[in-house]
Amino acid sequence: MVAGQAESLEMKHTQLYIDGMWVDGENGDTLEVTNPATEEGIARVAYGTATDARRALEAAQRALPVWQKTNVYERAAKLKKIAELMRDNVDYLATALTMEQGKPLAEARGETMASAATFEWFAEEAKRAYGRTIPASANNKRLFTVRHPVGVCAAVSPWNFPLVLQARKLAPALAVGCTTVSRPASQTPLSLIRQFELMEQADLPDGAINLLMGPPAELMNEFMGNRICRKISFTGSTEVGKELVRNSAGQMKRLSLELGGHAPVIVFPDVDVESVARASVIGKFRNNGQVCICPTRFYAHRDIEQDYLEACVEETKKLVLGNGLDPDVNIGPMFEDRAMDKADTIVKDATSKGAQCVTGGGRSDRFERGYFYEPTVLTNITSDMSIMTDEPFAPVMPIMDYSDIHEVIAKANDTVFGLAAYVLTNDLSAAFKMAEGLEFGTIGINDTVPATPQSPFGGLKESGIGRENAIEGMDVYLETKAISIAINE
Ligand code: NAD
């Protein structure tokens, strides 16, 4: 425990937020939220049912005409107020985020500020949700389009970025006049509860935003089966995403899916090895590798592979593992026991097939409690190792070599995922060839932190459908209506 930090988290609210009120779930159930650094319970939150989901959808439905008719400039002002409240209360939000999720406080602050920036960006962009006029093929016709909010939207997110992943859904949906029902992961609701507490001060109509904790499949079934819910925006695993696609057919439910990834990093021989190793290690171990766009396969040109490997190992050894509330810590606990077991399984699978573990490789023995896994670097990697095909979501860095640009593009693309890829080079021609040849939704060239509110974010192939952030991330909350007027000539 860090000196001066309370072991439990003081929460003003722990209930569901429905129709502008904090309420218990229908059956009064609650769920304990655990701190992964201490394995201790830090709060109990209300745990609702399908009936609560229905009540939340009905509240959002009642709020819809009020919010939709609120002028877009007024809606924008309220969203900007939310951004301001989040910035003013960054530590209040970030402490809850670190304690429920494990990431270091500096990363939690960064996530909070990115969420605030997302609200601000969409507040501005909603003013530009333009339709268009279309030249008609008959002289007595006038054609144009208008944009219309989709309606009531459900926003479902996982535990690894509890604030920013909700912001990418709520900000564009609210900005264009939709109303929302949010469901965070059951294990990490606390920072979002605090955000909702702050959002109350932005004076949105009752029912415009709702917050539910509860059993994932049960609540999702209500969203999927209830015609009030016009759209579901889901961030999570590809496996669950596929199930949602199958289930959406009944009502042609609009879906946005932000799913898993397996990001290659291609290091060219022209780089400054020390500095790219530093950037690689920072990118790799951010949030313990539990990031959808986390770099997961490192291909270094054979001319520099040994130097790059050594520099990465050196940088990895500098990482300070510990409770994320400690300001000196830059890698926190993994999210849960199961996540650590999965990391161990991946490492054991690789070493059993010939990989060499150069540093790390197991649960840390320096902590009595908490889910601490030593940051790990592996080499001697072969394509039959599970780390090369399954999304690792773990602090494990496999490094291998390549010799030819075409060969490495083919290897990088040889995956069902297509979320993010990274290229480290100063060679402009190589950078362009990679940007054009890699089949991924986001390509960071000398940039291992490429996500930002104004740039589209999403996956090719099995990494998802649709985009978040940017104008693309607003479009998915709008329907287009075509208007055709016949006039007297
Ligand atoms: P998950 O699919 O198990 O869970 C995601 C969310 O869905 C959680 O809130 C969970 O409670 C809920 N859920 C689980 N099963 C469900 C079901 N049958 N029906 C409805 N909801 C259900 O994913 P996870 O393991 O918690 O999260 C990690 C995954 O999320 C990784 O694959 C990661 O790449 C992905 N992710 C993607 C992005 C992105 O933007 N593309 C961002 C973050 C995480």
Side-chain angles (χ1 to χ4, degrees):
M1 194 62 220
V2 180
Q5 296 288 353
E7 290 192 28
S8 66
L9 192 65
E10 197 73 32
M11 293 291 294
K12 283 189 203 142
H13 295 285
T14 50
Q15 292 165 295
L16 315 178
Y17 187 72
I18 299 176
D19 208 8
M21 282 176 292
W22 294 98
V23 292
D24 287 330
E26 179 209 12
N27 57 12
D29 280 357
T30 60
L31 186 77
E32 187 168 63
V33 178
T34 306
N35 182 342
T38 61
E39 300 180 44
E40 286 165 351
I42 46 173
R44 287 199 81 84
V45 297
Y47 202 62
T49 63
T51 305
D52 297 304
R54 190 153 54 245
R55 286 172 47 218
L57 290 171
E58 286 164 0
Q61 172 83 332
R62 285 192 297 276
L64 190 63
V66 184
W67 184 239
Q68 209 174 309
K69 287 197 182 95
T70 303
N71 186 280
V72 65
Y73 279 76
E74 200 182 324
R75 287 200 303 262
K78 289 180 190 293
L79 295 198
K80 281 192 184 173
K81 174 80 180 166
I82 293 172
E84 189 185 311
L85 286 161
M86 292 182 78
R87 288 180 179 130
D88 289 349
N89 293 279
V90 57
D91 286 335
Y92 183 64
L93 295 168
T95 309
L97 182 44
T98 292
M99 288 182 77
E100 66 184 343
Q101 202 274 335
K103 68 183 63 176
L105 205 48
E107 285 183 32
R109 283 200 190 100
E111 179 177 343
T112 307
M113 296 308 263
S115 308
T118 305
F119 276 95
E120 184 175 72
W121 195 85
F122 281 107
E124 290 298 339
E125 194 58 19
K127 298 169 189 170
R128 293 180 278 276
Y130 305 125
R132 64 193 205 271
T133 56
I134 302 166
S137 52
N139 280 348
N140 70 331
K141 292 247 189 144
R142 299 293 179 269
L143 304 177
F144 60 98
T145 66
V146 292
R147 314 297 302 283
H148 199 267
V150 168
V152 173
C153 299
V156 178
S157 54
W159 47 266
N160 61 342
F161 286 89
L163 288 183
V164 82
L165 297 177
Q166 280 286 328
R168 288 178 188 176
K169 304 176 192 314
L170 295 189
L174 292 167
V176 300
C178 297
T179 54
T180 59
V181 178
S182 293
R183 187 202 163 266
S186 303
Q187 306 96 320
T188 56
L190 303 179
S191 50
L192 194 66
I193 290 176
R194 284 187 164 185
Q195 184 186 323
F196 265 68
E197 201 183 278
L198 297 172
M199 288 200 292
E200 277 197 296
Q201 298 173 43
D203 203 21
L204 275 63
D206 288 346
I209 50 168
N210 301 274
L211 173 64
L212 294 172
M213 286 73 72
E218 179 179 335
L219 301 195
M220 183 59 88
N221 284 344
E222 182 61 31
F223 299 150
M224 202 57 93
N226 191 323
R227 287 190 184 276
I228 290 176
C229 179
R230 290 293 179 88
K231 177 182 172 72
I232 300 170
S233 177
F234 172 83
T235 301
S237 61
T238 294
E239 189 190 347
V240 174
K242 287 181 180 177
E243 189 184 315
L244 301 187
V245 171
R246 284 190 288 272
N247 296 344
S248 66
Q251 295 178 11
M252 289 296 167
K253 194 77 73 183
R254 302 288 183 268
L255 287 181
S256 287
L257 300 173
E258 292 290 336
L259 308 176
H262 205 323
V265 180
I266 295 118
V267 190
F268 279 74
D270 63 85
V271 295
D272 172 55
V273 170
E274 263 86 51
S275 72
V276 300
R278 208 170 307 125
S280 303
V281 166
I282 290 170
K284 170 66 242 179
F285 295 105
R286 186 164 69 102
N287 202 10
N288 251 310
Q290 304 168 124
V291 181
C292 55
I293 58 167
C294 177
T296 48
R297 297 173 281 146
F298 293 77
Y299 300 93
H301 192 274
R302 70 172 171 203
D303 291 353
I304 52 147
E305 196 253 351
Q306 271 310 310
D307 293 346
Y308 177 74
L309 175 65
E310 279 165 27
C312 286
V313 170
E314 200 175 309
E315 289 299 325
T316 303
K317 285 181 175 166
K318 288 184 198 162
L319 294 171
V320 181
L321 188 62
N323 189 323
L325 292 177
D326 181 338
D328 294 330
V329 159
N330 43 33
I331 180 162
M334 293 200 72
F335 170 62
E336 57 187 2
D337 230 351
R338 267 188 316 162
M340 247 187 350
D341 292 345
K342 190 180 162 207
D344 228 27
T345 306
I346 289 168
V347 171
K348 288 202 173 102
D349 170 77
T351 49
S352 73
K353 291 173 182 161
Q356 187 197 343
C357 181
V358 199
T359 185
R363 186 175 187 153
S364 175
D365 54 14
R366 292 183 288 124
F367 301 87
E368 272 174 34
R369 313 200 64 174
Y371 310 130
F372 295 98
Y373 198 86
E374 291 292 346
T376 299
V377 179
L378 299 177
T379 187
N380 289 350
I381 304 297
T382 49
S383 57
D384 59 336
M385 296 171 182
S386 68
I387 194 166
M388 294 300 288
T389 46
D390 302 344
E391 183 181 32
F393 243 55
V396 184
M397 181 178 201
I399 299 180
M400 61 215 105
D401 70 359
Y402 75 93
S403 51
D404 170 75
I405 186 167
H406 301 293
E407 167 214 344
V408 78
I409 290 176
K411 280 184 177 166
N413 288 339
D414 186 18
T415 167
V416 297
F417 297 110
L419 194 58
Y422 302 91
V423 179
L424 300 168
T425 184
N426 297 310
D427 176 342
L428 194 58
S429 304
F432 267 98
K433 281 181 196 162
M434 299 308 283
E436 289 160 9
L438 291 171
E439 296 171 344
F440 296 85
T442 296
I443 299 172
I445 298 177
N446 300 327
D447 183 2
T448 51
V449 198
T452 169
Q454 64 273 31
S455 186
F457 184 97
L460 275 50
K461 300 198 264 184
E462 294 188 14
S463 286
I465 296 175
R467 290 290 179 277
E468 292 197 317
N469 286 342
I471 47 175
E472 290 86 346
M474 189 174 77
D475 281 348
V476 293
Y477 293 94
L478 289 164
E479 299 278 19
T480 298
K481 289 184 189 168
I483 316 290
S484 174
I485 305 180
I487 59 165
N488 297 325
E489 279 190 90

